[in-house]
Every structure is written in C-alpha cells, then in structure tokens.
Amino acid sequence: QVWGSSGRSHSVDLTALGKHGEVYTEGPFACLAWSHSETRLLYVAEKSRPKPQPPCPWDAPGADRPAEEHRDEQVGTMHPGANRTVTQDQRFVYHEDWGEALSTRSMPVLCALDLESSSLSVLEGIPEHLCPGQALWSPDDHGVVFVGWWNEPFRLGLSACSNRRSGIFHLDLDSGHCELLSAEHAAACSPRLSPNGQRLLYLEGDLGGPHRQCLRLCMITWQTGQAVTVLDVVHEPTEAFAGLYVEALPPRCWAADSRRAVLGTPQRSRTDLLLVDTETAIITNLTAGSPEGCWELLTLQWDLLVATCSAPHQPPSLVVAVLPPAGQELPIHWVPVKNSPTVPGVTWKTLQIQPPQSRQSPTMHGTQAFEALLLSPTDSMVPHPLIVCPHGGPHAVFDARWRPSMAALCCLGFAVLLVNYRGSLGFGQASISSLLSRVGEQDVADTQLAVDQALSTEPLDPHRLALLAGSHGAFIALHLLANEPERYQACALRSPVSNLPALLGTSDIPDWRYTSLGLPYSFERVPSAEDVATMLLRSPIARAARVRQGRGRGGGGLLWYPEGGHALAGVDTEADVFGNCAHWFLQYLGQ
C-alpha cells in the first residue's frame, strides 16, 4: 500500500501478479526504496519457480495417454514436428538456502513496481552467480545500486557472518550492463547515497577469518567511480575510537551537507553514536560519557537526529537533536520525546579485567584488557547469588543496553555478570583475532577470570553461582562446568554448542568449525581424521564425565522449542525460556 497526505493512493497484491515468489521483508537482502521521482519502488523477492503439477499416470515414458491427447497431436496442437516432451517433476529438486534464519531465501531477484503504469518488472542483467539485495536507485533513476553475494561454489550461512564474499554493483537499466564498484575480493554491504547524489558510503570487511570483524568505512565518488577508505580497520583501540563493528549503516545516515555521516557502533562495552567527516576522517563521539550505555540512530533527515538510548536498568527512550554545523558538533543537546524511567532495584557498572601475561609467549596476541558488565540488586540482602553469562558468537558483544530478562533476574535477587571476553566486538581487531585457534581455552579462561575478579571485589556469594548462556556462550559454560563441576550450583543453556565435529555436517557455517581452531578452510575441503580429533578434543562433550562425576545432587531437564530456531526467538518462546530459567535458579540457588 502507498499512502499520501490525502489517504491511500495505491494498493497492489505483489505476489498475486505472479512475477516472483515471497517478498523479502527482513534480513540481509531486504529493501524497499523509492526512486527519486517517487514513481517507482524497488524491492527484493524470491525468484519465481514453476508451480508443481500433480503427477499423471500417463507421464511415464511409453505409457498410454487419453484418446483426446492423441487426437490433439494428430491435428498439430501439441508441438508440431517434435516428439512429446515429458515434463520433469520439480517438486523435489533441492535449492540451497542462506542458512540460519534464512531457510526460505535461496535466489533473490530485484523487482521494480511502476506506480504510474501499475506495471511490475523483475530486473534482468544480474549475473547468475550473484544474489542481489540492499538495493537503491542511482542518482538519475536510470540504474540501481545493490549488494551482490557470490553463491558459488555453494552458499554458506549469512546470519552474523560479515565475511562472505560480496560487492557493491551498479546495474544500468538502459543497457543492462552490470558493473562491480567495490573491491573484487572483499565483503561489502550497506550502500548509502548522499543527499546530493555524489557520494556512496558503504561498509567493507575481509573474506574468511572471524565470522564478524572490525570493518572499513569506504566511499565512492559517483561521477568518477573512485573508491577510498574513510576509516580503516582498528587493530588496537584508542580512547577516541575503537573501530566499526556494525552489521549495517542506518538507512538514513548522511547529514544535509553530504559530507558528514552518523552511525552507531560498539565501542568496548558501549554502543555510541559517531559523527564521521568523510573528507577529513575526523570522528566525533556524540554520546561518549552519557549515563546511557547504548545509543541507536533511527534516522537523520534535514539534520534532525532521531535516536533511542537505553541502559541495563533503563528501557529505551526516544530522543531528538539538531545536528550542529561542522566543527561545532559538541556539545549536542538531546531532547526527550518519550522518556522511560529507570527500573527500581537494579544498578550496574563496568568491570575492567586485565588477563595475566602468558609465560609461554609473553608477546604473542598481547594481553588485551577486556570488560564485563555487572548488574546487581539494590536491596540489602548481600551477598547476592551470581549468574554468569558469557555471550554467544563468539564474535559478538554485551553492550550496556536494556535487556528485560537480565533486569528481571536482578529484581528476583540475582546479580548478573555479562562477560565480554577477548574476541568480543568493540575492542579492536587484534582482540578478535586473538581468539582464533584458542576457542575453548582463552574465552573460558577469560570468563573464569571475570568471575574471580567480581567475587573478590563485589558483595557476591561464592557459594551460590550459576551459568546462563546460549550457543558459543553455552560452549564456554560447559567447559567451565567441566573445569570446576563443584563450583556452580545451577546451569541453564540455550542451543548449546557441545560437539564440534558433529556440526561439520549439520551447520550452515562449516568454515567456522575450522577457522575457530586455526585450521585452514576451503570449499573443497573434506575433514580428515586429524581435523575431527582436534575438534573433539576441544569440545565440551569430551569432558562430560567430569560433570557427571562432580555433581552429586540436583537434576536436569530438556525443553524443546520447535519454532524458536537457534536463537529461540519469538515472544511466546522467549517468555517460556525465561520463566523456566528463573524457576531453575530460584530452586537451586536457594532464593
């Protein structure tokens, strides 16, 4: 539907037109972009496939067909001059998908809806080895800019993976010529055209390696096609800038001057809004030092910033600000539109943790500091039981945002420790890379170090400890249980990674199984016995007997959520997961 000041002007059932399959409304491919003339809409949908026909008994070669069909052939109504072709049944042909949360996404196509003529077209000219998405119109509306992901030799999972080969392309709608604008062997995404149509901003990362990483901010001058790096990868963070770690730029990130841009990105355990001057590469942190730990830009139009801000004890508030002229950005004055009060009974702080220097190799991988967020009840019932939460990924981050489940645990009397071990986003590329070949060792040691520091400096009960984690965080938690089975009184894990070799044949990211352990990966690689042995030795399941022998009391249980996916997403699923975890901890931590 299209609505204007006078009401609804257009209503089109896109799928009913039969030009394509399901429209992509979310995920990495999805987009909905107006042409500059506001007469055409650009979007992405699944490529149309022939509808399955019910099998007929006479479709088998040599089978008798109805007399009517014989008569039709005799009068020439069925493919005159040619033998009758038996149509192959396409119902059971396998189509690759793009992995977790994208199982219905296989071959996207770009579609253009012309509102003036009420016509719909699927754009042609995109090479078959590319899957297009994130499209927008070129400055003159005679072409489109899009992100193309290589789908050969086969598709690997895209979710939480910024290291898949992709590029920024331009498709000329008049000639049908498709041209690569960005680097050929890189992972590029999130193109954003400046208001004057002269600059194209986008994100770029390296292929392979960590599944998420520190990214470059690049820019193309439209008239010349020249690409430059505005902000490069940050290996060691400084106080002023720790690097870019976002999955996408805000849909509207450009200032009205077509020179400055605003984006949000993790900076250690915060997510801040950064203003970037694309000509001088000067960065201004617009939210540094604010009491809120997480800022997200919703839109930037006519230099009006609309954002949300939150903290572990404060739900998101809606705020606006006018972007000052260049060189006068600070201080910026945020005006609350809808303010959310803090939740009583919850307080939080950031813990700085310095790992010890390695005796075996004092300089190798450094001894980068990392952080943990500690949420605590404000009541006087100290010492508090502690729930330890290493995040999944592993290349992700617990920023200081509002998380209802964590605040609720505090209201139930638990302290919660959110650990950003080395390898987390927001602390520089060197920290991310330090975890490669050390999963199950460095991340586990860092989490245990964070627990020890919290217990020694905060009013916490060392005899009432629990673990709560998911995915790779659960992998860490299982190792912690195996290391010290008597130390933790309870554990609740979501979609745990427990058996690395088993994932080689079931995971949508088999490359990560190799890379995480420092093993080389190629599309042609078949796991060797040595590979499998290495993965098994690093898997928590290899140490399961230690957990069984070390826990003399209590029990266990398994809950199965068929609709939740790996992330156990969805309102009903998330509510049930939290309720069961909370009851489990109340039962075994004596609250």
Side-chain angles (χ1 to χ4, degrees):
Q1 295 184 354
V2 178
W3 290 71
S5 58
S6 58
R8 189 177 65 181
S9 59
H10 298 80
S11 181
V12 183
D13 188 342
L14 299 174
T15 307
L17 296 177
K19 294 290 187 71
H20 55 68
E22 181 184 358
V23 175
Y24 290 16
T25 57
E26 59 184 359
F29 298 101
C31 66
L32 184 63
W34 281 104
S35 62
H36 296 88
S37 63
E38 295 191 356
T39 59
R40 289 183 290 175
L41 278 169
L42 187 65
Y43 64 94
V44 179
E46 184 67 17
K47 184 178 181 180
S48 180
R49 297 194 184 103
K51 293 184 179 180
Q53 298 294 328
C56 299
W58 52 83
D59 277 345
D64 292 335
R65 301 194 300 277
E68 292 81 2
E69 213 170 276
H70 284 291
R71 284 199 299 270
D72 288 341
E73 277 190 295
Q74 292 168 2
V75 297
T77 58
M78 292 185 61
H79 308 291
N83 294 328
R84 182 178 184 274
T85 302
V86 177
T87 303
Q88 181 182 1
D89 190 346
Q90 299 290 318
R91 291 177 298 164
F92 305 109
V93 174
Y94 173 70
H95 298 279
E96 287 181 357
D97 60 58
W98 285 98
E100 178 193 341
L102 298 170
S103 60
T104 61
R105 307 294 188 245
S106 177
M107 181 54 72
V109 291
L110 297 184
C111 308
L113 176 65
D114 191 314
L115 296 175
E116 291 184 335
S117 64
S118 298
S119 62
L120 174 63
S121 60
V122 175
L123 303 187
E124 299 180 349
I126 299 174
E128 287 293 322
H129 68 272
L130 296 177
C131 285
Q134 299 183 16
L136 51 91
W137 296 91
S138 63
D140 58 5
D141 281 350
H142 289 290
V144 298
V145 175
F146 68 92
V147 178
W149 283 268
W150 270 256
N151 56 42
E152 295 178 350
F154 54 83
R155 293 162 176 77
L156 291 171
L158 275 184
S159 180
C161 293
S162 62
N163 59 350
R164 303 302 184 214
R165 188 182 179 188
S166 56
I168 308 296
F169 291 84
H170 175 250
L171 175 65
D172 189 300
L173 298 181
D174 297 326
S175 66
H177 177 64
C178 188
E179 178 186 8
L180 176 64
L181 304 179
S182 59
E184 184 172 357
H185 295 283
C189 68
S190 201
R192 301 291 184 261
L193 191 65
S194 63
N196 64 9
Q198 296 181 9
R199 292 169 171 170
L200 186 71
L201 207 61
Y202 63 96
L203 297 169
E204 184 180 86
D206 294 330
L207 298 182
H211 64 86
R212 288 191 65 189
Q213 53 195 294
C214 187
L215 302 178
R216 294 179 287 273
L217 184 66
C218 300
M219 184 175 68
I220 295 171
T221 302
W222 188 257
Q223 291 181 338
T224 64
Q226 181 182 7
V228 297
T229 298
V230 179
L231 299 178
D232 210 340
V233 171
V234 173
H235 291 277
E236 297 288 350
T238 65
E239 286 297 321
F241 183 50
L244 297 180
Y245 307 91
V246 291
E247 292 187 345
L249 296 172
R252 290 181 178 268
C253 62
W254 281 100
D257 58 15
S258 292
R259 170 176 172 168
R260 297 174 298 164
V262 179
L263 55 91
T265 181
Q267 300 288 280
R268 298 178 176 84
S269 297
R270 292 177 55 91
T271 291
D272 284 310
L273 296 184
L274 307 182
L275 177 74
V276 181
D277 188 318
T278 60
E279 293 184 4
T280 64
I282 293 176
I283 303 166
T284 304
N285 193 323
L286 300 178
T287 56
S290 66
E292 299 85 6
C294 178
W295 290 75
E296 295 179 296
L297 180 67
L298 301 181
T299 190
L300 170 55
Q301 298 190 61
W302 308 292
D303 284 348
L304 179 66
L305 294 156
V306 183
T308 62
C309 57
S310 70
H313 68 327
Q314 181 179 11
S317 296
L318 183 65
V319 296
V320 297
V322 175
L323 183 65
Q328 306 174 32
E329 290 89 359
L330 295 177
I332 190 168
H333 179 57
W334 295 98
V335 178
V337 176
K338 184 178 181 182
N339 204 9
S340 299
T342 59
V343 175
V346 180
T347 185
W348 69 282
K349 65 170 62 176
T350 302
L351 304 182
Q352 307 286 335
I353 301 149
Q354 181 68 52
Q357 196 170 40
S358 171
R359 295 179 180 177
Q360 291 81 7
S361 183
T363 60
M364 189 175 183
H365 300 284
T367 54
Q368 304 99 333
F370 62 97
E371 295 179 349
L373 300 174
L374 179 64
L375 285 66
S376 302
T378 57
D379 59 47
S380 59
M381 301 290 292
V382 293
H384 295 113
L386 178 65
I387 298 175
V388 180
C389 305
H391 61 70
H395 303 307
V397 64
F398 275 135
D399 59 2
R401 71 174 61 222
W402 168 252
R403 291 180 172 83
S405 60
M406 301 304 173
L409 288 173
C410 275
C411 292
L412 291 174
F414 301 104
V416 180
L417 186 67
L418 308 176
V419 184
N420 288 320
Y421 47 85
R422 283 174 295 170
S424 302
L425 302 180
F427 295 82
Q429 184 62 32
S431 175
I432 293 174
S433 300
S434 73
L435 188 56
L436 300 185
S437 80
R438 287 171 170 75
V439 296
E441 297 174 348
Q442 177 177 289
D443 44 2
V444 176
D446 284 358
T447 303
Q448 191 58 62
L449 183 62
V451 173
D452 292 339
Q453 178 169 319
L455 291 175
S456 64
T457 60
E458 306 295 332
L460 302 170
D461 189 344
H463 303 294
R464 289 189 294 169
L465 300 181
L467 291 161
L468 173 64
S471 193
H472 186 87
F475 170 87
I476 296 173
L478 287 169
H479 274 296
L480 291 171
L481 279 179
N483 288 345
E484 298 179 280
E486 298 286 357
R487 188 174 199 185
Y488 296 93
Q489 282 68 52
C491 180
L493 306 179
R494 307 179 312 277
S495 306
V497 175
S498 60
N499 188 339
L500 297 181
L503 293 173
L504 282 174
T506 58
S507 171
D508 61 327
I509 51 172
D511 56 320
W512 177 241
R513 304 277 71 83
Y514 294 93
T515 304
S516 64
L517 297 178
L519 302 172
Y521 173 79
S522 69
F523 283 96
E524 299 80 18
R525 178 160 186 163
V526 176
S528 65
E530 292 77 12
D531 295 336
V532 174
T534 299
M535 295 177 190
L536 183 59
L537 289 175
R538 204 71 66 86
S539 298
I541 198 171
R543 310 171 69 200
R546 287 179 53 87
V547 178
R548 288 198 300 269
Q549 294 168 359
R551 305 181 70 82
R553 68 181 184 89
L558 174 65
L559 301 176
W560 179 258
Y561 299 93
E563 306 298 327
H566 181 70
L568 296 184
V571 174
D572 292 341
T573 297
E574 291 178 33
D576 193 80
V577 168
F578 172 78
N580 277 284
C581 291
H583 282 293
W584 190 257
F585 294 141
L586 289 169
Q587 177 181 355
Y588 286 102
L589 294 188
Q591 279 294 99

